């Protein structure tokens, strides 16, 4: 097993810098997910670990070794791609054994490893088949098996589930989670899907334009996002945001938007004349049919109702713009209804202005 560390790593393609200055420690034995929007540099970062992309400047360590100049095959990593890249003319078993044969491993040892791993992944009955006779999920499992038999120090996964349908994606996600519990090897997993990130990771790294927006445990990122970018990226439906200023009412500081005020709790710090953004998650809003315009209440007119079974998501129009709220499943709401949404003070977030505006919450 091994940790992975980037020290002041820069990656450019010609004139274009994709990763400007990455300082990142990926802990040994943990499941780390790199998540961020498409094009933010996740694959490039992963490919630098694999040795498939040269590093423009800086240092990369796997374990205690600097690996900048090491060939992919000398890095003791195994990578699983989005496209399974199985050899079509080989059986499942031969596909899994191939990398070990190349390394001239002893036949009995190969046999032992392949049977162990095919047992673990439920591939026993498929060993004689060729890839074209497998479903997408089975192929992905073989691709994972081929990586696991090698027992590398680090597994690298690049969006391994994005070619699968939603149901299968859920199943495979749970299998990968189980797999990590068994092998306990360092995993670096790249995805643009925040649900995958939240459910799989011990440690999430949120990236934007090749820069780390926040790193931490999934629930920490959900409950204490460090900036507006992370707040908007983690959680579904996404957090609602409203622009406003500071106003004083009865000498107490309030967030003031258009026809809306809310008292700012003491655990936020701010400057009097700053512009700020109020954030609230759809699941944290409380709805009532009685009109209320006291501080911390916002009236909306329902535009869309989405009953999901376990809850109902509504989209409404307010004086400050659109809002989404998640209501209990038995709520009787219809398009065109008026609703008052209460912002519980212990659930609000405040950020400085801008797409990456910093959280104004003081450290706990
Ligand atoms: N070989 C390349 N040459 C030029 N630009 C590239 C190359 N590979 C990736 N890029 C660019 O680098 C950026 C990050 O790409 P990538 O790491 O694939 O993002 P992600 O995996 O997060 O979607 C993108 O803007 C992409 O166009
Ligand atoms: Mg990618």
């Amino acid at each position: 097993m091994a940790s992975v560390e980037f020290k002041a790593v820069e990656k450019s393609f010609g004139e274009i810098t994709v990763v400007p200055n990455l300082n990142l420690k990926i802990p040994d034995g943990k499941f780390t997910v790199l998540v961020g929007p498409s094009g933010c540099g996740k694959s490039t970062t992963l490919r630098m670990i694999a040795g498939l992309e040269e590093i423009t400047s800086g240092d990369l360590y796997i374990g205690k070794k600097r690996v900048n100049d090491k060939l992919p095959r000398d890095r003791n990593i195994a990578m699983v791609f989005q496209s399974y890249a199985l050899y079509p003319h080989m059986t499942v078993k031969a596909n899994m054994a191939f990398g070990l044969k190349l390394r001239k491993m002893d036949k009995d040892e190969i046999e032992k490893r392949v049977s162990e791993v095919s047992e673990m992944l439920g591939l026993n009955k498929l060993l004689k088949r060729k890839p074209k006779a497998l479903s997408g999920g089975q192929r992905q499992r073989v691709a994972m098996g081929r990586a696991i038999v090698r027992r590398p120090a680090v597994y690298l996964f690049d969006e391994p589930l994005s070619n699968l349908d939603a149901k299968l994606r859920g199943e495979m996600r749970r299998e990968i989670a189980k797999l990590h519990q068994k092998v306990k090897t360092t995993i670096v997993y790249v995805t643009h899907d925040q649900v995958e990130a939240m459910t799989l990771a011990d440690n999430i790294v949120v990236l934007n334009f090749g820069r780390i927006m926040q790193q931490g445990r999934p629930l920490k990122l959900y409950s204490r996002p460090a900036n507006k970018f992370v707040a908007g990226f983690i959680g579904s439906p996404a957090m609602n945001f409203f622009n406003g200023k500071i106003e004083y009412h009865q000498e107490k500081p309030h967030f003031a938007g258009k026809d809306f005020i809310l008292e700012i709790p003491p655990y936020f710090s701010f400057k009097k004349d700053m512009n700020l953004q109020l954030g609230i998650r759809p699941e944290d809003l409380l709805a009532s049919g009685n009109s209320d315009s006291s501080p911390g209440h916002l009236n909306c007119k329902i535009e869309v109702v989405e009953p999901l079974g376990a809850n109902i998501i509504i989209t409404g129009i307010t004086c400050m713009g659109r809002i989404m709220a998640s209501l209990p499943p038995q709520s009787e709401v219809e398009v065109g209804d008026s609703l008052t949404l209460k912002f519980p003070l212990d659930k609000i977030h405040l950020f400085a202005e801008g797409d990456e505006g910093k959280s104004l919450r003081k450290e706990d």
Side-chain angles (χ1 to χ4, degrees), residues 11-14 16-19 34-47 53 158-159 190-192 207 209-210:
K11 174 66 190 174
S12 303
F13 293 106
I16 299 163
T17 301
V18 174
V19 176
L34 308 183
V35 68
S38 185
C40 75
K42 304 179 295 293
S43 294
T44 304
T45 303
L46 200 69
R47 290 167 60 82
E53 245 9 298
D158 194 353
E159 312 237 8
V190 159
T191 180
H192 66 277
L207 295 173
F209 296 118

Coordinates of all heavy atoms in Angstrom, one line a residue, residues 11-14 16-19 34-47 53 158-159 190-192 207 209-210, ligand 1:
K11 N 0.7 21.1 -14.6 CA 0.6 20.4 -15.9 C 0.0 21.3 -17.0 O -1.1 21.9 -16.8 CB -0.4 19.2 -15.7 CG -0.7 18.5 -17.0 CD 0.5 17.8 -17.6 CE 0.3 17.2 -19.0 NZ 1.5 16.7 -19.6
S12 N 0.8 21.5 -18.0 CA 0.3 22.3 -19.2 C 0.3 21.5 -20.4 O 1.2 20.6 -20.6 CB 1.2 23.5 -19.3 OG 1.3 24.3 -18.2
F13 N -0.6 21.7 -21.3 CA -0.6 21.2 -22.7 C -0.2 22.4 -23.5 O -1.1 23.3 -23.7 CB -1.9 20.6 -23.1 CG -2.3 19.4 -22.3 CD1 -3.3 19.4 -21.3 CD2 -1.7 18.2 -22.5 CE1 -3.6 18.3 -20.6 CE2 -2.0 17.0 -21.8 CZ -3.0 17.1 -20.9
G14 N 1.0 22.5 -24.0 CA 1.4 23.7 -24.8 C 1.3 24.9 -23.9 O 1.8 25.0 -22.8
I16 N -1.5 26.0 -22.6 CA -2.7 25.9 -21.7 C -2.3 25.2 -20.4 O -2.0 24.0 -20.5 CB -3.9 25.3 -22.4 CG1 -4.3 26.1 -23.6 CG2 -5.1 25.1 -21.4 CD1 -5.2 25.4 -24.6
T17 N -2.5 25.8 -19.3 CA -2.2 25.2 -18.0 C -3.5 24.6 -17.5 O -4.5 25.3 -17.3 CB -1.7 26.2 -17.0 OG1 -0.5 26.8 -17.6 CG2 -1.4 25.6 -15.7
V18 N -3.5 23.3 -17.3 CA -4.7 22.6 -16.9 C -4.7 22.4 -15.3 O -5.8 22.5 -14.7 CB -4.8 21.2 -17.6 CG1 -5.9 20.4 -17.0 CG2 -4.9 21.4 -19.1
V19 N -3.5 22.2 -14.8 CA -3.4 22.1 -13.3 C -2.3 23.1 -13.0 O -1.1 22.9 -13.3 CB -3.0 20.6 -12.9 CG1 -2.7 20.6 -11.5 CG2 -4.0 19.6 -13.4
L34 N -11.7 12.1 -6.5 CA -11.5 13.4 -7.1 C -12.8 13.7 -7.8 O -13.1 13.0 -8.8 CB -10.3 13.4 -8.0 CG -9.0 12.9 -7.5 CD1 -7.9 13.1 -8.7 CD2 -8.5 13.6 -6.3
V35 N -13.4 14.8 -7.5 CA -14.7 15.1 -8.1 C -14.7 16.5 -8.6 O -14.0 17.4 -7.9 CB -15.9 14.8 -7.1 CG1 -15.9 15.7 -6.0 CG2 -17.2 14.8 -7.9
G36 N -15.4 16.8 -9.7 CA -15.4 18.2 -10.2 C -16.1 18.1 -11.5 O -16.3 17.1 -12.1
P37 N -16.4 19.3 -12.0 CA -17.1 19.4 -13.3 C -16.3 18.9 -14.5 O -15.0 18.8 -14.3 CB -17.5 20.8 -13.5 CG -16.6 21.6 -12.6 CD -16.2 20.7 -11.5
S38 N -16.9 18.5 -15.5 CA -16.2 18.0 -16.7 C -15.1 19.0 -17.2 O -15.4 20.2 -17.2 CB -17.2 17.8 -17.8 OG -16.6 17.2 -18.9
G39 N -13.9 18.6 -17.5 CA -12.9 19.4 -18.0 C -12.1 20.1 -16.9 O -11.2 20.9 -17.2
C40 N -12.3 19.8 -15.6 CA -11.6 20.5 -14.5 C -10.2 19.9 -14.3 O -9.5 20.3 -13.4 CB -12.4 20.5 -13.2 SG -12.5 18.9 -12.4
G41 N -9.9 18.8 -15.0 CA -8.5 18.2 -14.8 C -8.4 17.0 -14.0 O -7.3 16.6 -13.6
K42 N -9.5 16.3 -13.8 CA -9.5 15.1 -13.0 C -8.7 13.9 -13.7 O -7.8 13.3 -13.1 CB -11.0 14.6 -12.7 CG -11.9 15.6 -12.1 CD -13.3 15.0 -11.9 CE -14.0 14.7 -13.2 NZ -14.4 15.8 -14.0
S43 N -9.1 13.7 -14.9 CA -8.4 12.6 -15.6 C -6.9 12.9 -15.8 O -6.0 12.0 -15.6 CB -9.0 12.4 -17.0 OG -10.3 11.9 -16.9
T44 N -6.6 14.2 -16.1 CA -5.2 14.6 -16.2 C -4.4 14.3 -14.9 O -3.3 13.7 -14.9 CB -5.1 16.1 -16.6 OG1 -5.8 16.3 -17.8 CG2 -3.7 16.5 -16.8
T45 N -5.0 14.6 -13.8 CA -4.4 14.4 -12.5 C -4.2 12.9 -12.3 O -3.1 12.4 -11.8 CB -5.3 15.0 -11.4 OG1 -5.5 16.3 -11.6 CG2 -4.7 14.8 -10.0
L46 N -5.2 12.1 -12.6 CA -5.1 10.6 -12.4 C -4.0 10.1 -13.3 O -3.2 9.2 -12.9 CB -6.4 10.0 -12.7 CG -6.7 8.6 -12.1 CD1 -6.8 8.7 -10.6 CD2 -8.0 8.0 -12.7
R47 N -4.0 10.6 -14.6 CA -3.0 10.0 -15.6 C -1.6 10.4 -15.2 O -0.7 9.7 -15.6 CB -3.4 10.5 -17.0 CG -4.7 9.9 -17.5 CD -5.2 10.6 -18.7 NE -4.3 10.6 -19.8 CZ -4.1 9.6 -20.6 NH1 -4.8 8.5 -20.5 NH2 -3.2 9.7 -21.6
E53 N 0.8 10.7 -18.3 CA 0.9 12.1 -18.7 C 2.2 12.6 -18.0 O 2.3 12.4 -16.8 CB -0.3 12.8 -18.1 CG -1.3 13.5 -18.8 CD -1.5 13.4 -20.3 OE1 -0.5 13.8 -21.0 OE2 -2.5 12.9 -20.8
D158 N -10.9 5.7 -13.4 CA -11.4 6.9 -14.1 C -12.8 6.7 -14.6 O -13.0 6.1 -15.6 CB -10.5 7.2 -15.3 CG -10.7 8.7 -15.8 OD1 -11.7 9.3 -15.4 OD2 -9.9 9.1 -16.7
E159 N -13.8 7.3 -13.8 CA -15.2 7.2 -14.2 C -15.6 5.8 -14.6 O -16.2 5.7 -15.7 CB -15.5 8.2 -15.3 CG -15.0 9.6 -15.1 CD -16.0 10.7 -15.0 OE1 -17.2 10.4 -15.1 OE2 -15.6 11.9 -15.0
V190 N -11.9 8.8 -9.8 CA -12.3 10.1 -10.5 C -13.8 10.0 -10.9 O -14.1 9.0 -11.6 CB -11.4 10.4 -11.7 CG1 -12.0 11.3 -12.6 CG2 -10.1 10.9 -11.2
T191 N -14.5 11.0 -10.7 CA -15.9 11.0 -11.2 C -16.4 12.5 -11.2 O -15.9 13.3 -10.5 CB -16.9 10.2 -10.3 OG1 -18.2 10.3 -10.8 CG2 -16.9 10.7 -8.9
H192 N -17.4 12.7 -12.1 CA -18.0 14.1 -12.1 C -19.3 14.0 -11.3 O -20.0 15.0 -11.1 CB -18.3 14.5 -13.5 CG -19.3 13.7 -14.2 ND1 -19.0 12.5 -14.8 CD2 -20.7 13.8 -14.3 CE1 -20.1 11.9 -15.3 NE2 -21.1 12.7 -15.0
L207 N -12.4 19.5 -7.1 CA -11.6 20.3 -8.0 C -12.4 21.3 -8.9 O -13.5 20.9 -9.3 CB -10.8 19.4 -8.9 CG -9.8 18.4 -8.3 CD1 -9.2 17.5 -9.4 CD2 -8.6 19.2 -7.6
F209 N -11.1 23.9 -12.2 CA -10.0 24.4 -13.0 C -8.7 23.9 -12.4 O -7.7 24.8 -12.3 CB -10.1 25.9 -13.1 CG -11.3 26.4 -13.8 CD1 -12.2 27.3 -13.2 CD2 -11.5 26.1 -15.2 CE1 -13.3 27.7 -13.8 CE2 -12.6 26.6 -15.8 CZ -13.5 27.4 -15.2
G210 N -8.6 22.7 -12.1 CA -7.3 22.1 -11.6 C -6.8 22.6 -10.2 O -5.7 22.4 -9.8
Ligands
LIG1 N1 -3.8 15.8 -24.5 C1 -4.3 17.0 -24.3 N2 -4.0 18.1 -25.1 C2 -4.6 19.3 -24.9 N3 -5.5 19.5 -23.9 C3 -5.9 18.5 -23.1 C4 -5.3 17.2 -23.3 N4 -5.9 16.4 -22.4 C5 -6.8 17.1 -21.7 N5 -6.7 18.4 -22.1 C6 -7.5 19.5 -21.6 O1 -7.3 19.6 -20.2 C7 -8.5 20.0 -19.5 C8 -8.8 18.9 -18.4 O2 -9.1 17.7 -19.1 P1 -9.4 16.4 -18.2 O3 -8.3 16.2 -17.2 O4 -9.7 15.3 -19.2 O5 -10.7 16.8 -17.4 P2 -11.8 15.9 -16.7 O6 -11.3 14.5 -16.6 O7 -12.0 16.6 -15.3 O8 -13.1 16.0 -17.5 C9 -9.6 20.1 -20.5 O9 -9.8 21.4 -20.9 C10 -9.0 19.3 -21.7 O10 -9.5 19.8 -22.9

